[in-house]
Amino acid sequence: MNKSFFSLQGDKKTGTPKSKALIYDFQLKERFLMYPERPKFERAQLCFEILEELTEQAGAYRDTLKIITDELKASVFSPGLTTEEDGKLSNIPYFVHIKRLEKARITNTQKIQDSMEEIMQKLKFRDQDLNIFNRKNLMLKQQLLELEETVQSQKERILTLEHDLRKATAHEMNAEKQQKEATAALQEELERVQSSLNHANQIIEKLTMFKDTEKEEGHQKSTEQIEEKETKKDLKINAGSLMAFDMSQCELLEIQFEEMFNLQLDDFESSLSQLMRKREIFSVVEGTEQQTAREQFDKEMTRLGDNFRNRMLRLLDENALLTRHKTSMKLTSDAFEVNKVLPSIETIGDINLRQYAAVMMTGQGDQFEAFEKVGHCTICGGRTIVCPHRILPSTVIQLPPGTTHLKLQHPKLSLRTNFDLETFAKLFPEREKELKRSLEQTEYENQNVSISFFRIWGDYYNTRGARKPRTNRPYNIMKIMKLIDEVYQYRMKKETYPDDLDLDAQKPEAFADTFYELLLEYYKIPVVMLKAAHDILFAMEQEERSNQIVFIFCRHLSGHDEIIWKYIYLARELVHKMVPNDHMDMEQYRKLIEIMYPARTVEIYEHMELEFKAFCKNKIFRAKVLEHLIHMVAKDIEPNIDFFQKCLVRFDTTKKGSLSFEDYDEAITQIMPTASIRERRLLFKQALLHFKIQELPLERVARIAAYILIKTCCEQSWQPTQISPDFALSNNAE
């Protein structure tokens, strides 16, 4: 250790020592001034040296201070880390080592950050190279895919031509034979289906009947085994218990009626679907045989509808009878509650039957037990040895050992059943309230219902006077899509007006009326039709957010839109006309959009092609074209509607966002000179009557104009509709 001008040994001249406390104080101040930072190795070293000297001079406290000094020194200085100073090795304090580690960590962190920045820069360059490579690779794959599709289409065309050639050669020889075989097979299939249907209907009718107890011995044995295994109770026969038991059975019957109702609907829909497939098969038949097949189909359709109607009427009559019976029981039960009287009911027939029934008990005179080795009678509610409900046993009866006495007594007048009167009396009012609350709370009152279904359910319950059923039948998406097509076709046939029709007197029919009218043709009975409609609407509500076709149909059904379904319907006919096969190429798609979206620039058509490729992910099929069209309509980005909406803004001179009939007529005349005057007048008048307004918003006028465009195209044998050059996008920037 460096010595200051103060010595620890005293003054050299006089030999007399200075004050130790003063020396230590000056040494500490001098060292602290030299190393002002805390903590510091030199400061700590001097402190421990002074502390060691003081320990030697502490007298009685020497050992104690030495222990404290060693402990503090071991806590401050590291035993494994040393440093060299004046040729001596000294231990390093922990805080010095920590500072060194912190400095090293900062240095290493900076190096790592520099390395990471360098690596990230290299990765960016690598990503750029990879993107360039991927784009080139994608371009080559696209070219290869187009070439493969071209080759495949040519191969398919060759195969189709070869198949048509073979078919045309063998058609005259095999047509009659195939037709006879197909007719015989269909007749056999029809007979089999009719037989199974009759058998199923017989089973369903039997479910509604009550069966008497079987008298056969084998059935008695099985009944006894069931009675022994099941935990049943003796229900005392009086007005209250019988009323409660009867109401519990009514609840069970109501559930069974609902299940039978649903089963009948499922069975009818299955048979109807088979008939429709049969009609599709017969549609390829030509000549007089086609007329015969059509007449046979009409007869089968009539017979199926009449049988279904008769079965449902009988079922509804039974259900109405059950409802009246349950209502009368509720009134009687309420009367019992008011009078607080439950008189016992013992009919003369039951009393007389009890007189001829006896239960045998065995014992030794003071105590008796029931004899268990005889059969159990479910009507008497006990093990009777003699009763009027079964044959007297002819076998020898062996009595238990030790029996000295026999006792015969009449069985109790009770009903052996699983029915628990206390549980029923406790839970029945709550179940009735819950059922009533569930049936009264309709989907119309649901806060999460969409705008379309808010109007659909409101029309169903308020306008149609329907009631909410207990349960909903499952209705898959395939059946929904098929029904939607049938509704569109049915509506399109109804909208074929004669040429001499008075347009001003023609009132539009709501789309919902067409929907319910078609269902009534199928299900014959209004109550049954409303039940089936509820199942269909409930299934559509589940699919509305996930299926765009269902979403658009629900908009039509709710009355929000009355024209766009016709646009989609005719567009689908155009697609099937231009693309006969399911597979298509981009050349066919270009011809299709040039007809469907006339008067566009080449750049717009190329942009449409890119959008279609992105939508279908290069899987170019006819179905994808229709899906893309429905997607654009659902998202309000359909090109024709958008085009007409921009064009019609010029005729909105008042800036109200709507057009009167005169402005609308002038706009259609200028934009599409070849459009039918009668057609556009009828559509606008019907829209005004439908929405009960004087002017139509631009959005709805644009939808009408889009339909007029494709309708004109249809009337011109699918030639592009003429667009005035002043409005054509080929002459103007979009």
Side-chain angles (χ1 to χ4, degrees):
M1 184 183 67
N2 296 328
K3 301 293 183 179
S4 63
F5 60 89
F6 291 106
S7 175
L8 299 178
Q9 305 296 329
D11 188 51
K12 294 183 178 181
K13 294 181 179 181
T14 59
T16 58
K18 300 283 186 177
S19 171
K20 287 291 186 178
L22 187 60
I23 292 173
Y24 293 152
D25 184 58
F26 275 94
Q27 286 181 347
L28 289 172
K29 289 182 177 180
E30 182 184 31
R31 184 62 60 88
F32 289 172
L33 288 173
M34 188 179 300
Y35 302 98
E37 184 181 356
R38 180 189 297 175
K40 195 70 175 176
F41 170 72
E42 287 77 10
R43 292 166 64 117
Q45 187 179 32
L46 178 61
C47 291
F48 275 99
E49 288 177 358
I50 295 174
L51 184 60
E52 289 176 353
E53 290 181 8
L54 292 175
T55 300
E56 296 296 331
Q57 302 172 12
Y61 298 98
R62 176 181 178 184
D63 294 336
T64 302
L65 289 176
K66 183 172 180 60
I67 293 171
I68 295 172
T69 302
D70 293 338
E71 187 66 21
L72 291 175
K73 194 170 185 180
S75 300
V76 175
F77 290 88
S78 171
L81 300 174
T82 58
T83 183
E84 184 176 358
E85 183 179 356
D86 297 334
K88 297 181 181 180
L89 293 175
S90 302
N91 294 333
I92 298 176
Y94 285 107
F95 59 81
V96 174
H97 182 58
I98 290 173
K99 288 182 178 180
R100 292 178 180 177
L101 291 177
E102 182 66 18
K103 184 176 180 181
R105 185 186 66 79
I106 294 173
T107 303
N108 292 335
T109 301
Q110 186 63 36
K111 290 180 179 179
I112 291 172
Q113 290 179 350
D114 295 337
S115 300
M116 286 295 295
E117 291 178 357
E118 184 178 356
I119 292 172
M120 291 300 294
Q121 188 66 28
K122 291 180 179 180
L123 287 176
K124 289 181 179 179
F125 292 141
R126 182 64 58 86
D127 288 338
Q128 292 178 357
D129 296 337
L130 185 61
N131 290 333
I132 295 172
F133 175 78
N134 288 336
R135 284 196 295 269
K136 292 181 179 179
N137 190 22
L138 184 61
M139 186 182 302
L140 293 175
K141 285 183 178 180
Q142 179 65 27
Q143 294 176 358
L144 180 60
L145 182 62
E146 292 177 355
L147 291 175
E148 289 177 354
E149 290 175 350
T150 303
V151 173
Q152 183 65 24
S153 63
Q154 294 297 330
K155 289 181 179 179
E156 290 178 356
R157 185 179 179 184
I158 292 173
L159 292 175
T160 303
L161 292 175
E162 291 177 353
H163 176 71
D164 293 339
L165 180 60
R166 289 193 299 269
K167 185 177 179 181
T169 303
H171 177 73
E172 294 180 356
M173 299 174 59
N174 299 330
E176 184 177 358
K177 180 180 178 181
Q178 291 177 356
Q179 179 181 349
K180 291 181 179 180
E181 291 177 353
T183 304
L186 287 173
Q187 187 65 29
E188 292 177 358
E189 180 68 13
L190 178 61
E191 292 175 357
R192 186 188 65 80
V193 172
Q194 188 66 35
S195 176
S196 63
L197 179 61
N198 293 334
H199 179 66
N201 290 333
Q202 291 174 4
I203 294 176
I204 292 173
E205 290 175 357
K206 289 179 181 179
L207 289 176
T208 61
M209 301 179 183
F210 289 50
K211 292 183 179 180
D212 294 333
T213 307
E214 297 290 342
K215 302 298 189 297
E216 288 80 8
E217 184 177 355
H219 183 76
Q220 281 187 349
K221 291 181 179 180
S222 62
T223 306
E224 291 172 7
Q225 294 175 358
I226 295 174
E227 292 285 345
E228 291 177 358
K229 292 180 180 180
E230 293 183 352
T231 303
K232 292 193 174 182
K233 297 182 180 181
D234 291 327
L235 180 64
K236 185 178 180 181
I237 298 180
N238 57 42
S241 60
L242 287 179
M243 186 70 67
F245 179 74
D246 200 2
M247 293 184 71
S248 68
Q249 296 303 305
C250 283
E251 281 189 326
L252 180 60
L253 285 175
E254 283 181 340
I255 297 174
Q256 292 176 350
F257 269 121
E258 187 75 19
E259 293 176 355
M260 291 168 61
F261 204 97
N262 292 336
L263 288 174
Q264 286 285 356
L265 286 174
D266 292 337
D267 186 28
F268 172 72
E269 290 172 356
S270 177
S271 302
L272 186 63
S273 177
Q274 291 180 0
L275 274 181
M276 293 301 179
R277 287 198 296 269
K278 182 178 178 180
R279 183 178 64 178
E280 293 176 359
I281 295 173
F282 280 152
S283 63
V284 300
V285 182
E286 299 178 353
T288 58
E289 296 177 353
Q290 184 179 13
Q291 181 66 24
T292 304
R294 186 181 298 110
E295 292 177 357
Q296 183 181 356
F297 170 79
D298 294 338
K299 291 179 180 179
E300 293 178 359
M301 189 70 180
T302 304
R303 184 169 59 251
L304 176 63
D306 292 342
N307 293 337
F308 173 72
R309 184 175 182 274
N310 294 333
R311 290 197 304 273
M312 296 307 293
L313 286 175
R314 289 197 301 270
L315 188 61
L316 291 172
D317 290 341
E318 293 289 340
N319 193 17
L321 183 62
L322 178 64
T323 303
R324 290 196 298 270
H325 178 60
K326 186 176 180 181
T327 304
S328 64
M329 285 193 299
K330 287 183 178 180
L331 294 175
T332 307
S333 179
D334 294 340
F336 286 161
E337 290 294 331
V338 172
N339 298 329
K340 301 296 182 181
V341 175
L342 292 176
S344 297
I345 300 176
E346 293 184 350
T347 62
I348 297 176
D350 290 334
I351 295 175
N352 292 334
L353 289 177
R354 285 182 59 203
Q355 293 177 357
Y356 298 101
V359 177
M360 186 174 72
M361 305 186 70
T362 61
Q364 298 179 356
D366 53 349
Q367 293 182 355
F368 293 90
E369 295 180 355
F371 187 65
E372 300 291 340
K373 294 185 178 180
V374 294
H376 184 276
C377 179
T378 57
I379 300 178
C380 295
R383 296 185 177 275
T384 56
I385 190 170
V386 178
C387 77
H389 308 118
R390 57 182 181 173
I391 302 174
L392 185 69
S394 59
T395 57
V396 178
I397 299 175
Q398 182 180 0
L399 298 178
T403 300
T404 59
H405 292 75
L406 294 178
K407 180 180 179 181
L408 299 177
Q409 65 180 21
H410 294 300
K412 296 179 180 180
L413 187 62
S414 60
L415 180 65
R416 189 73 170 170
T417 177
N418 289 326
F419 176 70
D420 190 344
L421 180 60
E422 295 181 358
T423 304
F424 178 80
K426 181 179 179 181
L427 299 180
F428 177 74
E430 292 297 328
R431 286 204 304 268
E432 283 290 305
K433 291 180 181 178
E434 181 65 26
L435 177 61
K436 184 178 180 181
R437 183 165 54 251
S438 174
L439 296 180
E440 289 179 351
Q441 186 177 2
T442 62
E443 297 85 353
Y444 176 67
E445 301 171 357
N446 187 1
Q447 295 182 353
N448 296 325
V449 69
S450 64
I451 297 176
S452 296
F453 267 96
F454 179 80
R455 299 182 65 176
I456 292 173
W457 288 125
D459 175 72
Y460 178 80
Y461 288 110
N462 299 332
T463 306
R464 313 291 167 180
R467 298 178 61 186
K468 184 179 179 182
R470 281 175 175 259
T471 58
N472 296 307
R473 291 183 303 131
Y475 216 84
N476 58 43
I477 186 62
M478 298 301 297
K479 295 172 67 176
I480 293 175
M481 302 300 290
K482 186 176 180 181
L483 177 64
I484 290 175
D485 288 340
E486 292 176 359
V487 174
Y488 284 154
Q489 293 175 7
Y490 185 77
R491 177 75 177 197
M492 186 61 74
K493 291 179 181 178
K494 293 193 65 175
E495 292 201 355
T496 304
Y497 304 114
D499 295 335
D500 57 349
L501 179 68
D502 186 2
L503 299 181
D504 294 328
Q506 178 64 23
K507 294 183 179 180
E509 180 182 358
F511 196 85
D513 294 338
T514 304
F515 173 74
Y516 288 108
E517 182 180 337
L518 177 62
L519 292 183
L520 186 59
E521 285 191 7
Y522 285 158
Y523 297 101
K524 308 300 181 183
I525 306 173
V527 176
V528 180
M529 179 273 292
L530 291 175
K531 170 63 173 67
H534 187 279
D535 299 334
I536 296 169
L537 294 177
F538 185 81
M540 284 184 178
E541 187 177 16
Q542 308 304 315
E543 299 288 342
E544 181 192 15
R545 300 182 186 277
S546 59
N547 191 298
Q548 292 178 336
I549 297 178
V550 178
F551 171 75
I552 295 174
F553 180 80
C554 293
R555 284 174 57 180
H556 302 150
L557 196 60
S558 64
H560 284 104
D561 200 341
E562 79 292 346
I563 195 67
I564 201 64
W565 70 269
K566 302 179 188 178
Y567 179 76
I568 298 175
Y569 187 88
L570 291 180
R572 181 171 57 181
E573 289 191 1
L574 172 60
V575 172
H576 284 274
K577 178 71 175 178
M578 298 298 299
V579 188
N581 301 320
D582 187 50
H583 185 79
M584 64 179 298
D585 53 27
M586 291 308 298
E587 183 179 355
Q588 290 177 310
Y589 182 75
R590 169 62 72 91
K591 293 180 180 179
L592 176 65
I593 60 177
E594 286 177 353
I595 296 174
M596 194 168 179
Y597 306 109
R600 262 69 166 184
T601 62
V602 177
E603 291 77 11
I604 295 177
Y605 288 133
E606 291 177 352
H607 182 69
M608 289 182 178
E609 291 178 2
L610 292 175
E611 285 186 345
F612 175 67
K613 287 182 179 180
F615 175 81
C616 66
K617 299 179 181 178
N618 285 325
K619 297 179 181 179
I620 305 172
F621 296 98
R622 182 175 63 185
K624 291 294 182 180
V625 179
L626 299 174
E627 290 181 11
H628 187 222
L629 174 63
I630 292 171
H631 168 75
M632 292 189 295
V633 171
K635 298 296 183 181
D636 292 329
I637 56 174
E638 209 282 327
N640 275 337
I641 299 176
D642 184 63
F643 164 72
F644 282 110
Q645 195 163 359
K646 292 177 180 177
C647 293
L648 293 171
V649 173
R650 304 184 189 180
F651 299 91
D652 183 17
T653 56
T654 59
K655 305 301 180 182
K656 294 188 297 184
S658 60
L659 292 180
S660 62
F661 174 75
E662 291 76 14
D663 295 335
Y664 156 80
D665 189 59
E666 180 184 357
I668 299 300
T669 302
Q670 293 188 24
I671 299 173
M672 293 182 289
T674 59
S676 171
I677 299 176
R678 180 179 181 276
E679 185 74 24
R680 68 195 187 201
R681 180 182 177 187
L682 174 64
L683 293 173
F684 195 88
K685 294 289 186 181
Q686 286 186 341
L688 291 178
L689 292 173
H690 179 80
F691 295 105
K692 299 178 181 180
I693 53 180
Q694 298 299 322
E695 295 184 354
L696 285 184
L698 291 179
E699 180 184 359
R700 296 198 179 276
V701 178
R703 292 173 183 266
I704 295 175
Y707 170 70
I708 293 175
L709 181 141
I710 198 167
K711 177 69 172 178
T712 306
C713 176
C714 175
E715 293 173 350
Q716 296 174 356
S717 301
W718 302 113
Q719 296 299 318
T721 303
Q722 180 183 353
I723 301 294
S724 175
D726 295 336
F727 297 91
L729 294 178
S730 57
N731 299 328
N732 301 281
E734 187 174 7

